[in-house]
Amino acid sequence: MTEKIDRNGNENGELKKKKRKRRKIGVSKVQKLYRTCKQVFANCKPGVVPSPENVELVRAVLDKMTEADVGLRPNMPYFKSKVSDRPPKITYLHLHECDKFSIGIFCLPPKAVIPLHNHPGMTVFSKLLFGKMHIKSYDWADNLLPESTTPNANISDRDCTGLRLAKLKVNSKFKAPCKTSILYPADGGNMHCFTAKTACAVLDVLGPPYCDPEGRHCQYYCDFPFANISVNGLSVPEEQQSEYAWLKEREKPEDLTVAGALYSGPNLV
C-alpha cells in the first residue's frame, strides 16, 4: 500500500496511527532471543564458552519466555500420545540455524524420552516452556580415575568395554515456569536425558550447533550404576557412590522418533 504524504511533506493521520501501532506492538520475544544469540555467539568457537555477562543476556531473555511466545498451545497435536507399543513421537520445530548457533523447540507428549546424549564443545540453554519434565545429567569425571584402569564389572565383558566414569549433575523434576538450564562443554551436565512427565515443550539454544564434519556428533549413552563396576585404585565412599555412574556409547535408539514440523510462531527477521 502506498503511504500518503500531504503537499507539505507531512504524513497523514492514518499513516501516523499505523506507525504508533507498530511501536506499541514492539519486538517479539523470539526475535529478541535471535538478536541476543547473534550478538553473544558472534565470536564464539567450539569449546569456547561465552562470557558470564553474555550467558546472562541469553538467560534473561529465555527466563521470560512461555509457549505463547512461540505460538504453541498445550492442546496441539504435537503433545498428544497415541496408543502404541513404541515410545511417543517427539516433534522438533526448527526456528534458526547457522554455523554459530541454532534455535529449536522439542515438543514432547507425556512419557516421551530424549535419551542420554552429549553436546561436544557446546554451550546449551534449555528453557522448559510449559509442563513437567525429569532431567538427568552427567559430566565426565576422568580426573578421579587412576592412570591405569582395569574395570571388573558385574555386567558382561562386552558391556564393560568402553566404559567411562561420569558424575551425576542433575537428577530432578522440573515444572514450568522455571529457570533456564545451562550446560557447558565440560560442566553443567553436558550429557543429559529428558523424560516428559506431562506434555511439555523445551526451547533449545545451541552454540555452536551439531556438525558431523567438524566433529560435533550427537552421541548417545547407556548409564550403569557405579557400584556395578570396580576399578583397581579407584575408591569412592559408599555414601557418595550414587553420585557417579559409568557411561557407555551406544547407537541412536531404534525406538527414538523425532519428526520435524513447521514452526508457526512469530517470524524471525
Side-chain angles (χ1 to χ4, degrees), residues 141 144 165-168 224-226 236 240-246:
L144 293 181
L165 184 64
K167 190 174 191 306
L168 187 65
F224 301 98
F226 176 85
V236 173
Q240 296 179 18
Q241 291 186 6
S242 61
E243 300 175 14
Y244 293 89
W246 296 95

Side-chain angles (χ1 to χ4, degrees), residues 18 24 44 53 61 81 109 116 118 151 194 200 219 223 236 238 262 269:
K18 288 182 179 179
K24 186 176 180 181
C44 286
E53 294 79 11
V61 177
S81 295
L116 188 64
N118 71 344
F194 290 166
C200 56
Q219 178 63 58
D223 56 345
V236 173
E238 186 174 352
L262 184 66
V269 181

